[in-house]
PDB file of all heavy atoms in Angstrom:
ATOM      1  N   CYS A  48      27.636   0.878 -16.097  1.00  0.00           N
ATOM      2  CA  CYS A  48      27.039   1.895 -15.218  1.00  0.00           C
ATOM      3  C   CYS A  48      25.777   1.364 -14.557  1.00  0.00           C
ATOM      4  O   CYS A  48      25.175   0.410 -15.028  1.00  0.00           O
ATOM      5  CB  CYS A  48      26.723   3.139 -16.025  1.00  0.00           C
ATOM      6  SG  CYS A  48      28.189   3.967 -16.622  1.00  0.00           S
ATOM      7  N   HIS A  49      25.415   1.999 -13.455  1.00  0.00           N
ATOM      8  CA  HIS A  49      24.152   1.660 -12.799  1.00  0.00           C
ATOM      9  C   HIS A  49      23.382   2.931 -12.480  1.00  0.00           C
ATOM     10  O   HIS A  49      23.967   4.001 -12.391  1.00  0.00           O
ATOM     11  CB  HIS A  49      24.394   0.837 -11.520  1.00  0.00           C
ATOM     12  CG  HIS A  49      25.116   1.589 -10.447  1.00  0.00           C
ATOM     13  ND1 HIS A  49      26.491   1.629 -10.358  1.00  0.00           N
ATOM     14  CD2 HIS A  49      24.655   2.316  -9.398  1.00  0.00           C
ATOM     15  CE1 HIS A  49      26.846   2.326  -9.311  1.00  0.00           C
ATOM     16  NE2 HIS A  49      25.746   2.775  -8.703  1.00  0.00           N
ATOM     17  N   THR A  50      22.065   2.769 -12.334  1.00  0.00           N
ATOM     18  CA  THR A  50      21.239   3.939 -12.045  1.00  0.00           C
ATOM     19  C   THR A  50      19.943   3.496 -11.371  1.00  0.00           C
ATOM     20  O   THR A  50      19.551   2.346 -11.464  1.00  0.00           O
ATOM     21  CB  THR A  50      20.935   4.697 -13.366  1.00  0.00           C
ATOM     22  OG1 THR A  50      20.345   5.959 -13.034  1.00  0.00           O
ATOM     23  CG2 THR A  50      19.994   3.933 -14.273  1.00  0.00           C
ATOM     24  N   LEU A  51      19.336   4.433 -10.658  1.00  0.00           N
ATOM     25  CA  LEU A  51      18.078   4.164  -9.977  1.00  0.00           C
ATOM     26  C   LEU A  51      16.911   4.522 -10.898  1.00  0.00           C
ATOM     27  O   LEU A  51      16.786   5.682 -11.325  1.00  0.00           O
ATOM     28  CB  LEU A  51      17.983   4.990  -8.685  1.00  0.00           C
ATOM     29  CG  LEU A  51      16.743   4.797  -7.844  1.00  0.00           C
ATOM     30  CD1 LEU A  51      16.695   3.376  -7.264  1.00  0.00           C
ATOM     31  CD2 LEU A  51      16.675   5.810  -6.703  1.00  0.00           C
ATOM     32  N   ILE A  52      16.112   3.557 -11.244  1.00  0.00           N
ATOM     33  CA  ILE A  52      14.993   3.766 -12.156  1.00  0.00           C
ATOM     34  C   ILE A  52      13.699   3.874 -11.335  1.00  0.00           C
ATOM     35  O   ILE A  52      13.362   2.972 -10.582  1.00  0.00           O
ATOM     36  CB  ILE A  52      14.815   2.584 -13.126  1.00  0.00           C
ATOM     37  CG1 ILE A  52      16.115   2.275 -13.851  1.00  0.00           C
ATOM     38  CG2 ILE A  52      13.692   2.850 -14.118  1.00  0.00           C
ATOM     39  CD1 ILE A  52      16.544   3.297 -14.842  1.00  0.00           C
ATOM     40  N   PRO A  53      12.981   4.988 -11.483  1.00  0.00           N
ATOM     41  CA  PRO A  53      11.725   5.121 -10.724  1.00  0.00           C
ATOM     42  C   PRO A  53      10.621   4.223 -11.306  1.00  0.00           C
ATOM     43  O   PRO A  53      10.568   4.021 -12.516  1.00  0.00           O
ATOM     44  CB  PRO A  53      11.354   6.598 -10.902  1.00  0.00           C
ATOM     45  CG  PRO A  53      12.120   7.089 -12.066  1.00  0.00           C
ATOM     46  CD  PRO A  53      13.286   6.176 -12.292  1.00  0.00           C
ATOM     47  N   THR A  54       9.789   3.719 -10.420  1.00  0.00           N
ATOM     48  CA  THR A  54       8.608   2.973 -10.859  1.00  0.00           C
ATOM     49  C   THR A  54       7.355   3.839 -10.792  1.00  0.00           C
ATOM     50  O   THR A  54       6.292   3.418 -11.249  1.00  0.00           O
ATOM     51  CB  THR A  54       8.376   1.719  -9.979  1.00  0.00           C
ATOM     52  OG1 THR A  54       8.057   2.167  -8.648  1.00  0.00           O
ATOM     53  CG2 THR A  54       9.619   0.828  -9.956  1.00  0.00           C
ATOM     54  N   GLY A  55       7.475   5.001 -10.159  1.00  0.00           N
ATOM     55  CA  GLY A  55       6.331   5.876 -10.023  1.00  0.00           C
ATOM     56  C   GLY A  55       5.366   5.424  -8.913  1.00  0.00           C
ATOM     57  O   GLY A  55       4.290   5.982  -8.778  1.00  0.00           O
ATOM     58  N   LEU A  56       5.779   4.423  -8.171  1.00  0.00           N
ATOM     59  CA  LEU A  56       4.883   3.826  -7.193  1.00  0.00           C
ATOM     60  C   LEU A  56       5.401   3.895  -5.759  1.00  0.00           C
ATOM     61  O   LEU A  56       6.627   3.839  -5.559  1.00  0.00           O
ATOM     62  CB  LEU A  56       4.675   2.339  -7.532  1.00  0.00           C
ATOM     63  CG  LEU A  56       3.840   2.037  -8.777  1.00  0.00           C
ATOM     64  CD1 LEU A  56       4.020   0.585  -9.202  1.00  0.00           C
ATOM     65  CD2 LEU A  56       2.361   2.359  -8.547  1.00  0.00           C
ATOM     66  N   ARG A  57       4.489   4.007  -4.834  1.00  0.00           N
ATOM     67  CA  ARG A  57       4.750   3.735  -3.432  1.00  0.00           C
ATOM     68  C   ARG A  57       3.841   2.577  -3.071  1.00  0.00           C
ATOM     69  O   ARG A  57       2.805   2.393  -3.685  1.00  0.00           O
ATOM     70  CB  ARG A  57       4.405   4.939  -2.546  1.00  0.00           C
ATOM     71  CG  ARG A  57       5.285   6.158  -2.820  1.00  0.00           C
ATOM     72  CD  ARG A  57       4.764   7.373  -2.105  1.00  0.00           C
ATOM     73  NE  ARG A  57       5.521   8.550  -2.489  1.00  0.00           N
ATOM     74  CZ  ARG A  57       6.366   9.229  -1.703  1.00  0.00           C
ATOM     75  NH1 ARG A  57       6.510   8.877  -0.444  1.00  0.00           N
ATOM     76  NH2 ARG A  57       7.021  10.279  -2.154  1.00  0.00           N
ATOM     77  N   MET A  58       4.226   1.797  -2.076  1.00  0.00           N
ATOM     78  CA  MET A  58       3.368   0.666  -1.703  1.00  0.00           C
ATOM     79  C   MET A  58       3.394   0.437  -0.210  1.00  0.00           C
ATOM     80  O   MET A  58       4.363   0.826   0.467  1.00  0.00           O
ATOM     81  CB  MET A  58       3.744  -0.604  -2.464  1.00  0.00           C
ATOM     82  CG  MET A  58       5.080  -1.189  -2.102  1.00  0.00           C
ATOM     83  SD  MET A  58       5.381  -2.773  -2.973  1.00  0.00           S
ATOM     84  CE  MET A  58       6.095  -2.214  -4.507  1.00  0.00           C
ATOM     85  N   ALA A  59       2.342  -0.196   0.301  1.00  0.00           N
ATOM     86  CA  ALA A  59       2.258  -0.567   1.708  1.00  0.00           C
ATOM     87  C   ALA A  59       2.246  -2.088   1.773  1.00  0.00           C
ATOM     88  O   ALA A  59       1.211  -2.722   1.508  1.00  0.00           O
ATOM     89  CB  ALA A  59       1.014   0.020   2.344  1.00  0.00           C
ATOM     90  N   VAL A  60       3.405  -2.662   2.095  1.00  0.00           N
ATOM     91  CA  VAL A  60       3.515  -4.110   2.211  1.00  0.00           C
ATOM     92  C   VAL A  60       2.992  -4.486   3.600  1.00  0.00           C
ATOM     93  O   VAL A  60       3.393  -3.878   4.612  1.00  0.00           O
ATOM     94  CB  VAL A  60       4.999  -4.559   2.052  1.00  0.00           C
ATOM     95  CG1 VAL A  60       5.133  -6.059   2.195  1.00  0.00           C
ATOM     96  CG2 VAL A  60       5.546  -4.087   0.709  1.00  0.00           C
ATOM     97  N   PRO A  61       2.103  -5.472   3.706  1.00  0.00           N
ATOM     98  CA  PRO A  61       1.545  -5.838   5.015  1.00  0.00           C
ATOM     99  C   PRO A  61       2.639  -6.324   5.978  1.00  0.00           C
ATOM    100  O   PRO A  61       3.630  -6.935   5.537  1.00  0.00           O
ATOM    101  CB  PRO A  61       0.580  -6.963   4.700  1.00  0.00           C
ATOM    102  CG  PRO A  61       0.342  -6.932   3.250  1.00  0.00           C
ATOM    103  CD  PRO A  61       1.529  -6.288   2.626  1.00  0.00           C
TER     104      PRO A  61
END
Side-chain angles (χ1 to χ4, degrees):
C48 294
H49 65 272
T50 191
L51 181 66
I52 307 290
T54 64
L56 289 165
R57 296 170 186 249
M58 68 175 86
V60 179

